[in-house]
Amino acid sequence: MQWLPTVDTKLNVWTTAAIIVASVGLYNTVRGWWRNTLGKRGVFVRNFRKLAPHVRHEYVKGLFGEPAWQFKRTLQKHTLDAESGDLGLLNTELTVRTWPLGRMAYLTTWCTDDDEVEMYGITTRSSIFRPIVRIGTEHVVRLGKSRLSSLPAPFLDVERTSVWAVGAQRYSYSECHYFGSPGSYRTWVVGVSDAGFPAVPPVRLGANPDECDDPAEIERYRAQARINSVLIVGGSALRFDSILPYGVGPEFGRVMLIEPEYGLQSYLSRLRWKTRTAMSHFRGRRSR
């Protein structure tokens, strides 16, 4: 009979256990990475699309949890005198709340005394968070990618529809788009916030609209700058230029004070720091 080699077909329990443990560890690592990056992005986008003007703050909190910042802000709103029919302005106070959506974006809501969301907005701060937002019924923009010129020029109304400011440390640009009944009487404020990404400062436009005497500069800026913030307002009598241009995004003086210690970028930063530290210790030992 031809000789055949002996093959051991018994299952090695320790090898199998090691494979199972390694597989579970790899699965947990991949799942954690997914939930903290692309998977979390999808959750944020889906929850944002569930929002609408005049929803309750508790509804927003159920989608995104507790906000990180909350403060009061005084705005102006248009009023109509019942007797004379004259238009006037009235100060009103809104509660501003901001959520940091990981390292990807900021969500901001403006609520009335009854905790009803008067307006809400989102600002991207990462190249991997580029949600599509519908503007009116005929236009869509992708935050962080679409340029201001992808939307029609703002319609000249009673108030300024394009507002910007350039200071020593801060800058912002915003423009309002209103489509009447087809847009359900909502107003979309799009722009560039210095708290978002990418952010091109409108330095060639001057410090504010009063200093810009060349309309062509506005068109050149709109063709260059990418939209990183959208603020959605319901049918409201608010005077937008009382909060714009900085109101298109979060309060930069507050959000700049927090830096989440997680995510791929933070991990790579810590890895580089550990590598440089180890190399410096190694060079120090060799020089002795």
Side-chain angles (χ1 to χ4, degrees):
M1 179 182 295
Q2 185 179 4
W3 179 82
L4 295 176
T6 303
V7 178
D8 187 5
T9 58
K10 294 182 180 179
L11 189 63
N12 190 316
V13 177
W14 295 109
T15 302
T16 304
I19 294 175
I20 293 175
V21 171
S23 301
V24 172
L26 179 62
Y27 169 76
N28 290 334
T29 301
V30 174
R31 184 180 64 173
W33 174 84
W34 176 261
R35 289 183 175 180
N36 288 325
T37 54
L38 302 180
K40 183 180 289 187
R41 178 187 63 182
V43 173
F44 291 154
V45 173
R46 287 193 299 271
N47 288 344
F48 177 76
R49 290 174 178 169
K50 295 177 183 178
L51 299 181
H54 309 304
V55 299
R56 298 178 299 112
H57 165 65
E58 292 297 323
Y59 174 74
V60 182
K61 191 168 67 173
L63 294 174
F64 295 96
E66 291 285 348
W69 297 277
Q70 176 176 320
F71 60 96
K72 298 287 187 178
R73 181 76 181 271
T74 300
L75 291 78
Q76 291 182 325
K77 63 186 305 183
H78 296 283
T79 60
L80 180 65
D81 190 278
E83 297 182 356
S84 63
D86 296 333
L87 292 175
L89 294 175
L90 178 68
N91 289 337
T92 182
E93 191 176 64
L94 296 184
T95 301
V96 186
R97 299 181 175 95
T98 303
W99 287 257
L101 305 183
R103 299 177 64 92
M104 299 184 188
Y106 294 111
L107 172 72
T108 303
T109 62
W110 302 67
C111 298
T112 63
D113 292 336
D114 298 329
D115 258 351
E116 178 182 293
V117 176
E118 189 79 7
M119 50 187 172
Y120 65 98
I122 192 166
T123 297
T124 180
R125 57 188 293 237
S126 171
S127 59
I128 68 172
F129 187 79
R130 293 181 174 181
I132 295 176
V133 181
R134 180 171 296 277
I135 308 296
T137 58
E138 299 180 357
H139 308 282
V140 294
V141 297
R142 184 180 289 275
L143 294 189
K145 186 176 181 180
S146 298
R147 302 182 188 274
L148 290 164
S149 57
S150 63
L151 295 174
F155 179 74
L156 296 178
D157 206 335
V158 178
E159 300 178 13
R160 286 174 173 167
T161 52
S162 297
V163 187
W164 65 86
V166 180
Q169 297 180 341
R170 297 203 58 191
Y171 58 88
S172 187
Y173 175 94
S174 64
E175 58 184 40
C176 300
H177 295 269
Y178 178 74
F179 304 97
S181 180
S184 300
Y185 300 103
R186 287 171 293 178
T187 300
W188 285 265
V189 183
V190 302
V192 179
S193 170
D194 50 4
F197 174 85
V200 178
V203 291
R204 296 177 63 90
L205 302 183
N208 53 62
D210 294 331
E211 297 187 5
C212 182
D213 54 1
D214 185 4
E217 284 293 344
I218 299 179
E219 292 303 318
R220 280 192 285 267
Y221 179 76
R222 296 185 76 244
Q224 176 189 14
R226 301 180 188 273
I227 300 170
N228 65 23
S229 299
V230 172
L231 182 68
I232 302 175
V233 189
S236 175
L238 292 175
R239 184 179 179 184
F240 300 127
D241 59 358
S242 63
I243 64 167
L244 297 178
Y246 293 113
V248 71
E251 182 64 34
F252 184 63
R254 299 174 190 267
V255 301
M256 67 180 294
L257 300 177
I258 188 172
E259 183 65 26
E261 292 298 328
Y262 58 87
L264 181 59
Q265 182 176 356
S266 178
Y267 172 77
L268 293 177
S269 298
R270 291 196 301 269
L271 182 61
R272 286 194 297 266
W273 178 81
K274 291 180 180 179
T275 302
R276 285 195 293 266
T277 303
M279 291 299 296
S280 63
H281 290 331
F282 178 73
R283 294 191 189 99
R285 291 179 180 179
R286 291 191 59 184
S287 62
R288 292 178 184 175

